[in-house]
Amino acid sequence: MNTESDNKERALLAGLNTGDPNTDFSHSMEELAALANACNIEVGGIYTQNLPVPNPATYIGSGKIEEIRNGLSILEADLVIFDDALSPIQLRNLTDALNCSVLDRTSLILRIFADRAKTKEAMLQVELAGLQYMLPRLVGMHASLSRQGGTSGSFSNKGSGEKKLELDRRHIEHRINELQKNLREVKKERATTRKQRESSGLKKVALVGYTNAGKSTIMNWMIDTFSDCDEKKVLEKDMLFATLDTTIRKISPGNKRPPFLLSDTVGFINQLPHTLIKAFHSTLEEVSYADLILHVIDSSDCHCDEQIRVTEHTLLELDAASIPCIYLYNKADISRGKSHIPYAVGDKLYISAKERIGMEELLSMIYDKLSAQDKEHEFLFPLSRGDILNTLFERATVHSYEYRENGIFCKCKCSEKEFCKFNQYSVKD
């Protein structure tokens, strides 16, 4: 009887340790194994080599290639996955030398994204990133095709391999143009939707962080506790890249605290392919429109400092590095123990979303940050404009109000944007 593992691909992992002091090589290999598992690939063995620099032609040395080739037969593996981005020439030479399928870290992540993409936009983005990655590597993919034929330079006289290569290149370039056009249309639709959200006046809070840090768990915790009953929760699973699409939900804590919009999007990872960042830019750029970022960190991971660096670098690429931020150390029940959380110091807060510890402290920090740039104002609205007071209750912090003979007097703290809307009713000093 076949088991589930019988249906899995089996891979050998290969990595090169250059001795870079800024890289934890063993952790990088562990992460590569987790990526393989996330792609339903069984890891059959791990091969590493110490070299100061990669071999420009084959990435690893000839002796290690022979060792891996023998391992493929002994361990009955289907492919080899390298923990780095391989150049087109390296990919071609390794495929020829090992006589099997070869993936690098980039193509493995692309495969995971392709498996997880569900919405039209995500599928377009993943296909675009995959084709942009594939285009310069076509020569390696066609290495086994015939190169016989005329050498006059005319397309009709080229060998079958060259003709196939040229046809594939033209097809891919045409498809890339189509995808870019479709994504520009999707981006326009997203911009229209964003304008509609902005017209609501609600503040925007974005969850970001390394993949599997617990962003979706926090999102669902918020939805369960403070959102309307019809708000749908997001996928919450202990795996890398469980969520690809940006999800935005309205969070209404009540108790005189105005609602805000909370967004959750794809997690980051070390060496996240640039083609993916570029393709997913219209999705990820939602972060750059946030009023506040919740940088979620897995405090139980001993490599969390490196994960923070990766996330901050990605935020810099998205022009979101200057947005106010709360560093949210999740899974602190593991790293600190339940009795020591919640714990706040400066812009850091230790919580456990799974154990649901620290929500009130998180909300306090969120509202403190959101209101930090707001200013105190006094308004006197006409008695017939009670709707403005209702709007302020939704979009600002109303300290007090009273009905007077000449209108409705209100003291509140609001953003500059809201103040400008109702400036004509402002009570001047």
Side-chain angles (χ1 to χ4, degrees):
M1 184 174 71
N2 291 336
T3 63
E4 183 181 349
S5 61
D6 292 333
N7 299 321
K8 283 186 176 182
E9 289 180 283
R10 175 174 289 185
L12 303 183
L13 307 185
L16 192 65
N17 186 2
T18 61
D20 184 352
N22 297 318
T23 302
D24 188 330
F25 177 69
S26 61
H27 176 250
S28 184
M29 293 301 295
E30 290 172 5
E31 195 170 75
L32 184 67
L35 287 168
N37 289 330
C39 204
N40 202 35
I41 296 173
E42 180 184 357
V43 177
I46 298 176
Y47 294 79
T48 63
Q49 185 173 31
N50 298 324
L51 284 177
V53 292
N55 185 308
T58 56
Y59 185 71
I60 53 176
S62 58
K64 187 60 63 174
I65 290 176
E66 182 65 25
E67 185 181 343
I68 294 174
R69 187 163 50 222
N70 292 334
L72 284 165
S73 175
I74 296 170
L75 298 171
E76 298 181 342
D78 309 290
L79 70 159
V80 180
I81 304 173
F82 285 82
D83 186 38
D84 210 338
L86 299 174
S87 69
I89 189 69
Q90 288 170 339
L91 179 64
R92 183 187 68 189
N93 291 339
L94 284 168
T95 301
D96 288 344
L98 296 171
N99 194 30
C100 74
S101 297
V102 173
L103 299 178
D104 61 9
R105 189 182 181 97
T106 299
S107 54
L108 180 61
I109 294 174
L110 285 168
R111 182 188 283 197
I112 295 172
F113 272 54
D115 288 343
R116 303 279 164 80
K118 302 300 180 186
T119 66
K120 176 185 175 182
E121 181 178 15
M123 288 188 285
L124 290 172
Q125 290 166 326
V126 172
E127 185 182 355
L128 175 61
L131 292 177
Q132 289 173 329
Y133 169 81
M134 185 189 302
L135 190 59
R137 291 166 173 79
L138 280 179
V139 173
M141 295 173 183
H142 288 280
S144 62
L145 295 178
S146 169
R147 297 298 182 186
Q148 298 178 357
T151 56
S152 64
S154 118
F155 180 68
S156 60
N157 287 331
K158 290 182 179 179
S160 62
E162 289 176 294
K163 285 193 283 189
K164 181 73 165 65
L165 181 65
E166 186 67 23
L167 287 171
D168 281 357
R169 186 184 303 279
R170 290 183 181 182
H171 172 74
I172 289 174
E173 289 174 344
H174 177 70
R175 182 58 181 159
I176 285 174
N177 289 333
E178 283 185 336
L179 290 169
Q180 289 174 333
K181 180 180 178 181
N182 291 338
L183 282 170
R184 282 194 293 269
E185 293 301 315
V186 173
K187 186 174 182 178
K188 289 180 183 178
E189 295 172 7
R190 184 179 287 278
T192 301
T193 304
R194 187 184 301 119
K195 284 183 179 179
Q196 292 173 347
R197 286 198 301 269
E198 288 177 350
S199 67
S200 72
L202 299 181
K203 296 291 182 70
K204 297 173 287 297
V205 180
L207 290 160
V208 304
Y210 214 74
T211 181
N212 209 30
K215 298 183 301 300
S216 296
T217 305
I218 294 171
M219 166 72 90
N220 287 337
W221 185 16
M222 288 271 195
I223 292 172
D224 280 341
T225 311
F226 300 118
S227 190
D228 297 332
C229 59
D230 61 341
E231 290 284 17
K232 187 177 179 181
K233 294 199 289 186
V234 298
L235 175 64
E236 181 183 327
K237 200 169 183 179
D238 184 17
M239 65 164 59
L240 302 184
F241 301 116
T243 305
L244 293 188
D245 302 296
T246 295
T247 302
I248 301 175
R249 297 288 184 262
K250 182 180 177 182
I251 305 300
S252 306
N255 194 24
K256 295 185 178 180
R257 295 175 294 198
F260 59 88
L261 297 176
L262 182 66
S263 66
D264 175 31
T265 190
V266 61
F268 306 141
I269 198 168
N270 195 22
Q271 300 182 59
L272 186 66
H274 186 71
T275 52
L276 272 176
I277 295 177
K278 189 174 180 181
F280 272 75
H281 196 276
S282 63
T283 299
L284 293 171
E285 72 178 359
E286 289 291 338
V287 176
S288 64
Y289 290 92
D291 298 293
L292 174 65
I293 287 175
L294 301 183
H295 181 165
V296 184
I297 301 152
D298 180 355
S299 65
S300 69
D301 193 315
C302 61
H303 300 92
C304 64
D305 288 341
E306 169 66 12
Q307 295 172 0
I308 291 171
R309 185 195 65 78
V310 170
T311 300
E312 290 182 336
H313 177 74
T314 309
L315 289 174
L316 188 64
E317 287 193 61
L318 297 170
D319 296 324
S322 62
I323 297 173
C325 179
I326 294 173
Y327 293 89
L328 204 52
Y329 286 79
N330 189 31
K331 307 182 186 180
D333 55 309
I334 301 173
S335 61
R336 297 179 62 89
K338 290 184 183 180
S339 61
H340 293 86
I341 56 173
Y343 174 73
V345 53
D347 291 334
K348 300 177 181 179
L349 177 64
Y350 292 81
I351 67 163
S352 172
K354 183 178 180 180
E355 298 294 332
R356 304 207 164 192
I357 301 173
M359 177 61 77
E360 279 304 317
E361 290 75 11
L362 173 56
L363 286 174
S364 294
M365 291 188 75
I366 287 174
Y367 283 102
D368 286 346
K369 283 283 189 179
L370 289 177
S371 64
Q373 295 181 346
D374 293 350
K375 294 183 179 179
E376 301 285 349
H377 294 286
E378 295 180 351
F379 297 102
L380 184 64
F381 307 120
L383 291 170
S384 61
R385 294 304 310 272
D387 60 302
I388 299 179
L389 186 62
N390 292 334
T391 298
L392 287 178
F393 269 111
E394 277 285 316
R395 305 178 185 178
T397 302
V398 178
H399 299 309
S400 64
Y401 68 96
E402 61 178 300
Y403 286 84
R404 298 177 176 178
E405 290 185 1
N406 59 339
I408 308 170
F409 179 73
C410 173
K411 289 184 177 181
C412 72
K413 189 174 185 179
C414 65
S415 66
E416 185 65 22
K417 182 178 179 180
E418 292 304 314
F419 173 73
C420 290
K421 288 182 182 178
F422 309 120
N423 183 32
Q424 59 181 309
Y425 303 116
S426 174
V427 176
K428 310 297 182 181
D429 294 333

